[in-house]
Amino acid sequence: LQNHTEPLIEYRAEAQAGDSVWSICRRIVTDKDNMQEVVWKTMEENHITDPTALRPGQVVVVHVKEVREGKV
């Protein structure tokens, strides 16, 4: 079993018009994380039922092991 003690980084992203949970996560996630897992956890943690129904300006919190270069 893999040990999940590596600390996660909390990243707050502001949704833009046309954004989905997937598009926000795609901008942040690196190859250290499993994209599908991050999207699922992000939806669960932010209580999002429809991943395509984000409002512009809505803040979405994403937890990742590493943030994509240029996003910090």
Side-chain angles (χ1 to χ4, degrees), residues 13-56:
E14 187 175 315
Q16 306 298 316
D19 266 344
S20 66
V21 174
W22 186 271
S23 66
I24 287 174
C25 290
R26 189 177 65 225
R27 292 195 298 261
I28 301 163
V29 172
T30 67
D31 59 1
K32 289 194 173 191
D33 285 289
N34 177 305
M35 179 69 162
Q36 288 179 312
E37 190 175 294
V38 172
V39 169
W40 181 82
K41 283 192 315 186
T42 299
M43 287 181 60
E44 186 178 67
E45 292 171 354
N46 289 274
H47 309 287
I48 297 169
T49 53
D50 182 349
T52 62
L54 300 179
R55 297 178 315 279

Side-chain angles (χ1 to χ4, degrees), residues 4 6-10 20 24-26 34 36 39 50 53 55-56 62-63 66 70-72:
H4 291 288
E6 186 173 351
L8 294 177
I9 298 166
E10 180 176 290
S20 66
I24 287 174
C25 290
R26 189 177 65 225
N34 177 305
Q36 288 179 312
V39 169
D50 182 349
R55 297 178 315 279
V62 183
H63 291 97
E66 182 177 284
K71 285 292 178 187
V72 178

